[in-house]
Structures are given as structure tokens and as C-alpha cells.
Amino acid sequence: MTDVAVDKTDPAGSLSSTEKEPDDLIEEKNQDNPPAAAAEEGEGAAGGVYRYIKDDLFTSEIFKVEIQNLPKYIGFNDLKKFLNKHGINPHKIKLFSKQMFAFVTFKNQEERDKAMKAVHGMQWKSKVLSVRLAKPKADPILKKRKLEEEVEGGQPGTKRAAGSQEVEENEEEPLNIQIANAVTPLWNVPYEEQLKRKEKEVEGVLQKLTREIGNNNKAMLPWLFVQKEKFNKMCCPLEAIRPSPVLTEYRNKCEFVIGVGADGEDKTVGFRLGKYKGGSCAVVSPSETTHVSSEAKRVVQGFQQFIRANPYAVYSPETYEGHWRQLTVRTSRIKQTMAIVFFNPQKLQEEEIEELKRNLHQYFTEGEGKESGITSLYFVRMGQRTSAGTEDLPCEHVTGEEWIHEELLGLKFRISPHSFFQTNTPAAEVLYSAVGEWAQLDQDSTVLDVCCGTGTIGISLAKRVKKVIGIELCQEAVEDAKANAEANGLTNVEFHCGKAEDVFPTVLNAVVSPNVTAIVDPPRAGLHSKVILAIRRAEHLKRLVYVACNAKAAMNNFIDLCRAPSNRVRGSPFRPVRAMAVDLFPQTMHCETILLFERVDYTKSSNTIPSMIATKKHAILQTTNTHLARLTGQVVHSRRLLGKHIL
């Protein structure tokens, strides 16, 4: 689960993935732009392609370094762990493994300088590292525009011209096809084929995990040998992917950006055709998209009508001017709809903002917007970031109820603006049913629901177990979870608010139960390493169900659960015994993956490991004997032929 307003798996495109904050300018290998100081002397930070490096806006680009001479074959997580081990906390990392260097940004100059001093000259795997200041990334939109101007002016621009031709070819397609390709790239692929592709993707993840377990825990090699023979080079059986019960209009939450339409219409509410870092700001209406509900489309249409009749301009990610930024719409199966309006106040007076909120209230309760069916309306002031903080922005209630409600597996749930709730409710029922089945629970069980959001998983299992303990970072979600437990008449459920890495070890150590099962449903990046280490140390925790929205990103978690014990990783390892994909996002390549991990019991497996080794030796011996028999037969046959020839 996640603790912010943005969905952890959001193929529809949201502010976090398509809107451009200054710090969202990702580093590229080809950095042909000067450093910040040089930019001010040249094109100028306020007017050139480095305009975002100005005023008091936060961007880690001005605190960026380049680490050179990195060891071969290291990954993102290796570098992050290495830096953390030496007390260095990077803000962002961009690794170029083949070139053996990386760009690393920091939240402030103090942390950057500390890193440079600590890492420069340090030895890592026989490589002596060097660190130097790195150049900031040019604003993608302004850089694209500059190149286009150079081409038009007759200056060298062959590379750009080729790119322009590709863009022009794409632009020949109708807008409804372009936006479908952007937000639902598998819209024209038969659903059975979509499922096969997703299952194949998960199969590749499991095959990689098998190799990684072998590299990090030699004691499991005999077991892995048997598993690979049984399950197509995978460490555990991969069960058939479970499809989504609904294929269209399945999203109960969508985040729409506000900008200039691809058709030239100003103040268009919809999805971007591309990302800002790709040089695109054009917005297309969701009216013909297949995954957005009709209720959400109706809200978009009504809201777009309101802002087009309003004097305030759309926010520009290029100039940082303007106001309207984003519209988030949440819907439920019981026909409740929440709308959250994101607005940059700029230098408006408080009375002007209050007047705007009154106008929104009037429009959606008494005016033309009443037909939108909004039952809960919120207003969020979203200015430019001036620090690296990622806290949820306060939501100001405008009208209607404070929450929307949803029914899932026969239970009732209330949902706040910032709370996480799976975006495909019917498919979430399939997912949670599988989780409950795999957890092997009874009336003596204690369930630890980590990253629990509004408590959906734990509450759905509560009547089958002795106790459920949920942990969640988002305060709103915790309040929702407590209310949901009460609304469903549950008294054996408790919820704790805080970072999982801070709360989980304490909660886990306090649990006294013969049957403890952890269920984790973390954000895209996976669990903090402290949580994994706490799980490993808690020997009484025998079973773990891991729900991964991005199995590739969670790979490091999987490896740490299975790696051999060491000074850092204490406690017996786990091993994966079942895996399955569940499709929550039809028409996209995204899916959820469930993995069941069980603790390796060396007292019980002491006899099985030698037997696995014996099995392996027997297989090798059989193969050798077969080859010898064939060779002997060939020799006898050759002798007979030779005898005939002599006679």
C-alpha cells in the first residue's frame, strides 16, 4: 500500500508521473549543458533551458554529483546500500552500469558536500571511487523548443529532425488513438494475449530470483536444483494468472492533469500524451478512454466547463505561472463520487481563494455541475515545492460528505482523499481472496498487515483469526481503518500509524502467538530494509505473503528474505513456495504479483537437504551411465564392422 495521494500502480498517468516539478527532471547520460553558475552567465537561469534553477524552488539538480569508476555488475540497490552504509542519504540515483558511473542528487548542499568528502577516494570491490560536481539537467520542454528553433534557423539539427519526423508520424493518428496508446497501451491486444504477456513477465522475475537466491545462499542450491527441474527454471510453481472480472471502466481513482489540449483548446482536463521529461505537455480528454468510468468522465466534463468559464489560468510547468493543476476523481460501486481540485494560489489573496471555493460549492450543488453527481468535494492548495518534503498536502473540505464508501467482499469501507484503496475493486476482491487462501490462517493466528492503507486486507481476514495488527504511514488511512473495523463490528483489530521500518520491529517483538503470519502490500519501491531485517530476526514468524505491485522493483526484498544469515541479516532465511499474478490493470502491462514465503526450518530440513543432494548425484550418475552405455555400444558396433572388412 502507499501513503500518498498518488496510486502506487497508476498506468493512467498522474501528477507524480506526468506533471513536472523542478526536481522531476531526471538525469541523462548526455549532459551537454553547463553547471548552474555557467547557466546564469550564459543563457541565464531565469530565461534559458535552466530556468527552473531559480528563486527558492526546491530542486536537487543543484546538489548533484557524479560518482565515477564504480565496480562492474552493481545495481541501483547495491549503490544505495553502499551509500547508506557510510551514512550518506541520496535524494535520487541514476545509475549507468555499463559506463560504471552514476548521478546522485541530495536535498541540500551540506549533504552533497558530506557525500563528496566521504566517497571520493573510497575503495569498493577493488575500485577506487572518484566524485565530482555534476551539471544540472536542461528543462526538456525548453531544450526541445530550442532545438526546433535551431532547425528552423538552419543550424545543425539532424538528430532533432529525425525525432521530429517520428513525432509527426504519431501525430497523424487520431487523438483518441494517441491517448489510448499512452494510457492503455494494450487496448488493441486480445485479453487472453494480455494475460499471457503478464504471466511471462512474472515468470522472468521468478527465474531471476532463482539465480539470485543461488548466488546469495549456497545452502539452498540443492533445493533450487530440484525446483528448477520441476518449474521451468523457477524457484517455485507459478500458478495461472487470475484475470480481472471487469475489463473496462474499472478504475475507481483517476488523476487528471489540466493544460492546453492537443487540439489547441485551453483549459483541457485529461491525460498527457507523454511525459514532461519527454518534451510533451499536450492534454487529451478521457472521454474515449476505456479504463475510466462514466462517472469520472462526467465529473471531468463538468469541471472543465467550470474552469473554462473562470478567469484563472491553467498552471504552466514551463513558467510556473497560472493556477489550475490537477483534478482527482474517486468513485465507488455504491455510486458515491469524490473530486479533489488542486490549485496553485500563487499571490492571490485569501478572500479571492475563499470566493473561488464558494463558487465551486455553488456550481456543484446548485449549478450546472450538479449533474456531475459529486458527493464529496475537496480543494488543495498546491504551490511550488521549496523543500524535499513529500508530506500530503492538506485537503480543504468544500461540500458534501467527508468520505466516500465502498463495499468489498461483503464489508464496508470508508475512504478519505489521501487514503490508498486498490483502483480496481472487483479485481481487488480476487487478489485479497487469494491472499487469505495462501496465508493458511486459523483461530489462533495473528496477522500483521504491513502498509495496510484503509485496512482492507486485515479487516477481510479478521473473522478468521485471533488478532489483526495493521501498520500504515498515512494518518488519514489509519483513521479510516479504525472506523472501518468499527463499522464492520470487529474488535480484534488494531492499527498503528508510522513508518513501517520504525513501528514494525516493536510490534513484531511484542506479538506472542503460536501462528504469526505477515502480509505486506508495500508501495512500488518495496519495503524498507529495516522491515526485512526485523522479519528475518523474528524466528516465530514462519510465513509471509508478499503482494508486489512491481515485482522487479521488489526484487531486493525477495533476495534479502532468502539470503544466507550473516552479521547484517540474522535469522533463518525464507524461501518462495508459491507465486501468482493477478490482473488489476487490463489494457496495460501492469499486474499484481503474490509470493508466499515460508521460513526454512533447518531442524526439519536436515534430512531433506542430504536427500536432495543424493537426488542430484543420482541424476548425474544416471546421465553418466547412459552416456557410457551408448559409447560401449558404438565401440562394439565399430569392431563388428572392422571384422567384416578384414574378412
Side-chain angles (χ1 to χ4, degrees), residues 267-373:
K267 297 184 179 179
T268 297
V269 183
F271 297 125
R272 281 234 180 104
L273 284 176
K275 294 185 178 181
Y276 188 95
K277 67 179 183 180
S280 172
C281 279
V283 178
V284 175
S285 166
S287 59
E288 295 187 58
T289 55
T290 59
H291 64 322
V292 179
S293 68
S294 56
E295 291 85 358
K297 291 175 182 177
R298 189 161 59 243
V299 174
V300 167
Q301 185 62 34
F303 179 70
Q304 182 174 275
Q305 195 172 330
F306 174 82
I307 64 173
R308 284 182 174 177
N310 187 277
Y312 296 119
V314 167
Y315 173 79
S316 168
E318 292 182 52
T319 64
Y320 313 120
E321 298 170 350
H323 302 278
W324 300 111
R325 299 198 63 168
Q326 176 180 314
L327 173 71
T328 296
V329 181
R330 306 189 77 152
T331 57
S332 70
R333 294 192 289 189
I334 60 174
K335 302 304 178 184
Q336 293 184 353
T337 302
M338 177 185 288
I340 309 165
V341 176
F342 291 80
F343 184 85
N344 190 325
Q346 300 291 5
K347 297 180 180 180
L348 292 179
Q349 298 298 313
E350 183 63 26
E351 179 52 37
E352 294 176 282
I353 294 175
E354 290 301 320
E355 177 65 22
L356 174 61
K357 288 163 62 179
R358 285 193 291 271
N359 291 339
L360 280 166
H361 176 281
Q362 191 278 330
Y363 177 79
F364 284 108
T365 57
E366 302 172 14
E368 295 180 25
K370 187 176 181 180
E371 298 300 317
S372 301

Side-chain angles (χ1 to χ4, degrees), residues 90-372:
H91 184 60
K92 289 188 177 183
I93 297 174
K94 185 71 173 180
L95 178 66
F96 300 88
S97 53
K98 292 183 180 180
Q99 289 78 25
M100 292 181 290
F101 73 93
F103 290 118
V104 183
T105 67
F106 299 89
K107 295 179 181 179
N108 53 54
Q109 183 175 341
E110 182 182 354
E111 292 187 10
R112 181 198 67 187
D113 294 347
K114 174 186 173 183
M116 292 186 72
K117 185 176 180 180
V119 177
H120 189 72
M122 187 180 288
Q123 187 166 330
W124 185 19
K125 295 184 178 180
S126 76
K127 291 282 189 177
V128 178
L129 307 181
S130 64
V131 185
R132 69 178 186 181
L133 291 173
K135 304 167 184 178
K137 171 79 168 62
D139 185 303
I141 289 285
L142 299 178
K143 183 178 179 181
K144 176 183 176 183
R145 186 171 299 154
K146 181 184 174 186
L147 288 169
E148 288 173 347
E149 289 172 355
E150 288 178 355
V151 172
E152 290 174 4
Q155 297 182 35
T158 307
K159 183 177 179 180
R160 173 64 199 135
S164 297
Q165 185 177 355
E166 184 179 341
V167 170
E168 287 172 6
E169 289 175 359
N170 291 335
E171 289 178 349
E172 289 177 2
E173 294 181 324
L175 288 178
N176 65 321
I177 301 298
Q178 290 187 52
I179 197 62
N181 290 336
V183 297
T184 50
L186 302 183
W187 65 274
N188 59 349
V189 177
Y191 191 55
E192 286 301 318
E193 177 61 26
Q194 292 183 36
L195 295 177
K196 287 178 183 178
R197 293 186 189 183
K198 296 180 184 188
E199 198 166 61
K200 193 71 177 176
E201 189 83 8
V202 176
E203 183 179 302
V205 170
L206 292 176
Q207 289 172 343
K208 180 180 179 182
L209 177 59
T210 305
R211 295 191 296 270
E212 293 291 346
I213 294 174
N215 293 335
N216 290 278
N217 194 336
K218 303 300 182 186
M220 284 198 193
L221 284 173
W223 173 78
L224 283 173
F225 173 80
V226 176
Q227 297 295 95
K228 287 166 65 177
E229 290 292 316
K230 288 182 181 178
F231 306 118
N232 189 28
K233 301 181 181 179
M234 293 183 288
C235 49
C236 65
L238 175 61
E239 299 183 15
I241 185 172
R242 297 198 183 177
S244 171
V246 290
L247 305 185
T248 60
E249 298 192 20
Y250 59 83
R251 289 193 66 88
N252 58 39
K253 179 182 179 182
C254 288
E255 294 168 325
F256 305 100
V257 294
I258 307 168
V260 178
D263 57 2
E265 286 285 345
D266 191 17
K267 297 184 179 179
T268 297
V269 183
F271 297 125
R272 281 234 180 104
L273 284 176
K275 294 185 178 181
Y276 188 95
K277 67 179 183 180
S280 172
C281 279
V283 178
V284 175
S285 166
S287 59
E288 295 187 58
T289 55
T290 59
H291 64 322
V292 179
S293 68
S294 56
E295 291 85 358
K297 291 175 182 177
R298 189 161 59 243
V299 174
V300 167
Q301 185 62 34
F303 179 70
Q304 182 174 275
Q305 195 172 330
F306 174 82
I307 64 173
R308 284 182 174 177
N310 187 277
Y312 296 119
V314 167
Y315 173 79
S316 168
E318 292 182 52
T319 64
Y320 313 120
E321 298 170 350
H323 302 278
W324 300 111
R325 299 198 63 168
Q326 176 180 314
L327 173 71
T328 296
V329 181
R330 306 189 77 152
T331 57
S332 70
R333 294 192 289 189
I334 60 174
K335 302 304 178 184
Q336 293 184 353
T337 302
M338 177 185 288
I340 309 165
V341 176
F342 291 80
F343 184 85
N344 190 325
Q346 300 291 5
K347 297 180 180 180
L348 292 179
Q349 298 298 313
E350 183 63 26
E351 179 52 37
E352 294 176 282
I353 294 175
E354 290 301 320
E355 177 65 22
L356 174 61
K357 288 163 62 179
R358 285 193 291 271
N359 291 339
L360 280 166
H361 176 281
Q362 191 278 330
Y363 177 79
F364 284 108
T365 57
E366 302 172 14
E368 295 180 25
K370 187 176 181 180
E371 298 300 317
S372 301

